[in-house]
């Protein structure tokens, strides 16, 4: 197995040659969603980025165990340790539902959105509530090792003692204990329980009205948010594994506290390489509902937003995300989406023409052979350079120009061998469909690579419309119907549900 892969490691703040712990095998953990609301488009960018990383590792010949968790308890409002409500419990209270109803509803929605974006399912998708005993066990290990203390039924991680003993706290995020002290003062209500403001809860005593609660040696309560990822990553990947990923916003406090918990329980680092995606901006600014500068994935699909001129297909949105290096910010604008749509269609059309080409059989190796093979190698080299998708795409588009020139007669088949043409055709299919995870939505009919209308896609769109109608959100419902009509898709409502047809 050829391994030229270089990863930017957030822990060392530099690119490093990737060396798996076990040759040919990779353990990768990515922090998944907290399922109390619809998934944010910024989170979609993170999961699409790691889907491409997962796909490329598989294509490179590795056997990958990809673990992505579901947070269904412990994530508090404001990410504060106490005097805050669990996000799922709060939503359950507001909607007068059981917490697990909330979890199931938004977990289903998350999976549907991931299917729309054509992301591969992880190898294991553990849930925090399914690992309470293991989390209690890790809390006890941290206490036994002297890095946690109990106060009034809650257990806190002792950051000062840990920092003095191990010298690794703050290494991932670049924060210092002195800085953390001032950042913690916005949560003063419960600071009296802590030895130091930077200490964080790993077990929280439940208030009487708290509806998600478990028995523990310290109190009836629930685990801290950071604990679940320490437990579930190491349970399924080992005490130290290869890659830990997530959004840049999780670097502190979530990932920093994960590192501390793992060192505190087993005296070992959780992951050798930490990968972080950057944020998705909108019109050059951070997304914010209060500033009317935000958009949901559903709005991007339906066009039901003042910020965009039309709805965009899932594959156009995925292609748009691929145009930016995962570590860089990505600015979502209507102009950029329109350009992505044009680029996506150009790539798909070029592939269709390329796959239809047949070699006359009289070519000899020449300059075109050399150029094409160099561009193919460049595409792989760019992916090996920390999964640089925009540069890999640029190499593909240079190949598009060569392919179009062959089709148009500007270049001659005399300058390319049948072997190189076959390699070019295979490389295009591999990159577009297997590595980048795109589908061809430009073709009608039923090709396996994708089509303009697929039963699965339509089923999900109609389900979104049904949900809007159930919520009496007639504007969204009509927007979906009208958008489909513009694509020459007719929707009819009947007693057995909605049906669709073309024309």
């Amino acid at each position: 197995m050829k391994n030229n892969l270089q990863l930017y490691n957030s822990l060392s703040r530099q690119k490093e040659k990737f060396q798996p712990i076990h040759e040919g095998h990779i353990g990768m953990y990515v922090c998944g969603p907290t399922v109390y609301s619809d998934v944010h488009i910024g989170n979609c960018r993170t999961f699409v980025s790691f889907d491409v990383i997962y796909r490329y590792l598989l294509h490179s010949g590795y056997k990958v165990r990809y673990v992505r968790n579901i947070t269904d308890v412990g994530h508090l409002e404001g990410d504060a340790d106490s005097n805050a409500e669990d996000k799922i419990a709060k939503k359950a209270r507001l909607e007068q539902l059981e917490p697990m109803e909330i979890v199931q509803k938004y977990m289903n929605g998350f999976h549907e959105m991931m299917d729309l974006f054509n992301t591969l399912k992880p190898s294991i998708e553990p849930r925090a509530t399914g690992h309470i005993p293991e989390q209690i066990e890790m809390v006890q290990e941290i206490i036994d090792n002297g890095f946690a203390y109990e106060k009034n039924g809650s257990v806190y991680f002792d950051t000062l003692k840990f920092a003095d003993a191990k010298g690794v706290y703050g290494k991932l995020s670049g924060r210092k204990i002195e800085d953390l002290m001032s950042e913690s003062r916005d949560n003063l209500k419960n600071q009296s329980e802590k030895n130091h403001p930077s200490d964080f809860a790993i077990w929280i005593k439940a208030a009487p009205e708290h509806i998600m609660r478990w028995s523990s040696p310290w109190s009836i309560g629930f685990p801290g948010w950071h604990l679940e990822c320490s437990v579930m990553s190491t349970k399924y990947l080992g005490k130290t594994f290869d890659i830990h990923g997530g959004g840049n916003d999780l670097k502190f406090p979530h990932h920093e506290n994960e590192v501390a918990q793992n060192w505190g329980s087993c005296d070992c680092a959780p992951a050798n390489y930490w990968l972080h995606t950057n944020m998705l901006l909108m019109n050059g600014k951070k997304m914010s509902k209060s500033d009317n500068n935000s958009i949901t994935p559903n709005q991007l699909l339906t066009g039901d937003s003042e910020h965009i001129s039309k709805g965009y297909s899932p594959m156009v949105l995925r292609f748009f995300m691929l145009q930016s290096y995962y570590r860089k910010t990505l600015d979502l604008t209507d102009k950029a989406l329109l350009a992505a749509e044009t680029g996506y269609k150009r790539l798909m059309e070029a592939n269709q023409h390329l796959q239809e080409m047949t070699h006359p059989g009289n070519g000899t190796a020449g300059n075109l052979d050399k150029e094409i093979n160099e561009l193919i190698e460049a595409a792989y080299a760019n992916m090996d350079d920390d999964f640089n998708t925009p540069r890999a795409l640029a190499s593909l588009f240079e190949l598009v120009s060569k392919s179009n020139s062959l089709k148009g007669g500007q270049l001659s088949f005399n300058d390319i061998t049948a072997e190189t043409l076959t390699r070019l055709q295979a490389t295009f299919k591999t990159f577009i469909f297997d590595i980048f995870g795109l589908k061809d939505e430009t073709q009608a009919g039923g090709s396996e690579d994708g089509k303009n209308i697929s039963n699965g896609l339509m089923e999900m769109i109609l389900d979104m419309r049904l949900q809007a109608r159930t919520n009496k959100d007639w504007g969204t419902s009509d927007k979906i119907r009208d958008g489909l009509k513009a694509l020459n898709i007719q929707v009819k409502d009947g007693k057995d549900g909605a049906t669709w047809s073309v024309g």
Side-chain angles (χ1 to χ4, degrees):
M1 177 186 297
K2 186 174 72 170
N3 178 15
N4 298 319
L5 190 58
Q6 298 274 331
L7 303 185
Y8 183 88
N9 191 348
S10 297
L11 195 61
S12 64
R13 293 171 181 75
Q14 63 184 12
K15 285 183 185 177
E16 300 176 8
K17 180 175 174 58
F18 176 65
Q19 292 288 355
I21 296 171
H22 303 290
E23 189 66 32
H25 293 74
I26 294 175
M28 181 171 76
Y29 185 90
V30 174
C31 291
T34 301
V35 283
Y36 71 102
S37 64
D38 293 324
V39 64
H40 188 274
I41 187 61
N43 297 131
C44 290
R45 187 212 178 179
T46 290
F47 298 129
V48 166
S49 295
F50 280 103
D51 180 63
V52 173
I53 289 171
Y54 180 37
R55 286 171 177 271
Y56 189 67
L57 294 175
L58 291 172
H59 173 73
S60 299
Y62 290 103
K63 184 175 182 180
V64 185
R65 177 174 290 171
Y66 175 21
V67 182
R68 186 185 67 206
N69 71 300
I70 294 287
T71 296
D72 57 358
V73 69
H75 196 165
L76 304 183
E77 286 291 314
D79 298 342
D81 286 338
S82 346
N83 285 326
E85 196 169 4
D86 181 283
K87 291 184 176 183
I88 290 164
K90 179 181 179 180
K91 195 64 174 280
R93 176 176 58 79
L94 293 175
E95 296 193 12
Q96 296 184 318
L97 296 171
E98 285 291 325
M100 288 304 107
E101 284 184 273
I102 295 295
V103 167
Q104 195 67 48
K105 173 184 176 181
Y106 291 111
M107 187 170 65
N108 289 346
F110 169 71
H111 287 149
E112 288 174 4
M113 193 58 64
M114 291 299 98
D115 288 342
L116 278 175
F117 281 111
N118 197 34
T119 64
L120 299 176
K121 298 184 187 306
S123 312
I124 305 172
E125 192 174 52
R127 289 165 58 170
T129 53
H131 298 77
I132 299 296
E134 293 94 333
Q135 293 183 73
I136 291 173
E137 182 179 347
M138 181 171 278
V139 172
Q140 188 61 60
E141 289 171 352
I142 297 171
I143 292 174
D144 292 344
N145 289 333
F147 295 117
Y149 55 91
E150 183 267 335
K151 286 281 187 74
N152 300 322
S154 292
V155 180
Y156 296 96
F157 191 93
D158 193 329
T159 55
L160 284 184
K161 188 173 182 181
F162 174 74
D164 289 341
K166 301 298 179 182
V168 298
Y169 195 67
K171 183 179 179 182
L172 179 64
S173 63
R175 307 289 184 103
K176 297 179 180 179
I177 290 288
E178 302 79 51
D179 299 331
L180 304 181
M181 186 169 183
S182 61
E183 290 179 10
S184 300
R185 285 173 181 158
D186 59 354
N187 182 32
L188 291 175
K189 291 182 181 178
N190 229 37
Q191 294 299 343
S192 59
E193 279 193 357
K194 299 182 182 182
N195 290 349
H196 189 272
S198 66
D199 294 350
F200 58 92
I202 53 180
W203 184 265
I204 302 168
K205 181 180 180 180
E209 66 274 11
H210 202 283
I211 53 180
M212 300 180 76
R213 49 206 293 138
W214 290 265
S215 295
S216 79
W218 316 284
S219 65
I220 294 176
F222 54 96
W225 169 40
H226 315 301
L227 192 66
E228 63 177 276
C229 289
S230 287
V231 164
M232 293 188 289
S233 61
T234 53
K235 175 173 181 176
Y236 297 109
L237 299 175
K239 288 184 177 181
T240 299
F241 51 95
D242 295 298
I243 298 172
H244 194 311
N248 204 45
D249 58 318
L250 296 179
K251 193 180 291 184
F252 183 86
H254 185 54
H255 289 165
E256 192 69 76
N257 290 347
E258 269 192 72
V259 173
Q261 289 165 163
N262 284 70
W263 276 102
S265 65
C266 70
D267 196 32
C268 54
N272 287 336
Y273 302 88
W274 288 80
L275 308 185
H276 289 97
T277 60
N278 215 321
M279 69 169 57
L280 184 66
L281 304 175
M282 185 169 174
N283 298 316
K285 300 178 182 178
K286 184 177 179 179
M287 287 196 190
S288 169
K289 287 184 179 179
S290 59
D291 293 336
N292 192 31
N293 190 55
S294 67
I295 195 167
T296 68
N298 282 346
Q299 287 174 321
L300 281 167
L301 294 168
T302 63
D304 186 20
S305 169
E306 64 184 283
H307 299 294
I308 54 176
S309 59
K310 54 179 285 188
Y312 296 93
S313 75
M315 290 302 100
V316 168
L317 296 175
R318 184 176 175 112
F319 179 84
F320 167 71
M321 294 175 189
L322 292 171
Q323 289 181 301
S324 179
Y325 180 32
Y326 78 93
R327 291 185 52 241
K328 301 292 186 182
T329 56
L330 174 59
D331 192 11
L332 190 155
T333 66
D334 191 51
K335 183 179 180 181
L337 290 171
L338 288 168
E341 186 173 57
T342 300
Y344 165 75
K345 289 179 179 178
R346 183 182 173 215
L347 187 64
M348 292 301 131
E349 289 166 4
N351 180 64
Q352 291 166 25
H353 296 319
L354 179 61
Q355 301 307 327
E356 292 168 359
M357 286 184 189
T358 55
H359 198 281
N362 58 350
T364 58
N367 289 334
L368 192 55
D369 253 36
K370 182 174 183 291
E371 288 179 46
I372 287 175
N373 283 307
E374 285 177 350
L375 287 169
I376 289 173
E377 293 305 319
Y380 277 106
N382 286 318
M383 288 302 293
D384 283 335
D385 185 14
D386 197 35
F387 314 106
N388 198 318
T389 57
R391 288 187 178 176
L393 269 174
S395 297
L396 281 194
F397 274 107
E398 288 191 60
L399 289 168
V400 166
S401 296
K402 302 297 181 187
S403 172
N404 288 344
S405 294
L406 277 172
K407 179 179 180 293
Q410 294 90 348
L411 291 175
S412 171
F413 279 100
N414 290 329
D415 291 325
I416 183 173
T417 61
E419 179 184 12
T420 296
L421 178 61
T422 299
R423 187 187 184 201
L424 177 59
Q425 291 169 324
T427 298
F428 249 72
K429 288 183 71 173
T430 295
F431 264 91
I432 293 171
F433 304 123
D434 296 342
I435 297 173
F436 291 155
L438 296 167
K439 291 183 178 182
D440 191 346
E441 297 170 331
T442 65
Q443 294 188 96
S447 73
E448 64 179 359
D449 292 324
K451 39 199 174 291
N452 188 40
I453 306 162
S454 72
N455 288 329
L457 176 59
M458 284 303 303
E459 185 177 327
M460 283 182 273
I461 290 174
L462 292 178
D463 184 64
M464 287 161 51
R465 180 171 175 265
L466 175 62
Q467 187 175 358
R469 289 166 65 88
T470 301
N471 296 335
K472 299 189 184 328
D473 183 0
W474 308 118
T476 299
S477 172
D478 292 343
K479 187 76 175 180
I480 294 173
R481 181 200 61 203
D482 295 342
L484 292 173
K485 187 176 180 180
L487 292 172
N488 203 29
I489 303 170
Q490 306 299 321
V491 177
K492 294 183 180 179
D493 296 303
K495 63 179 182 178
D496 296 324
T499 59
W500 64 276
S501 61
V502 180

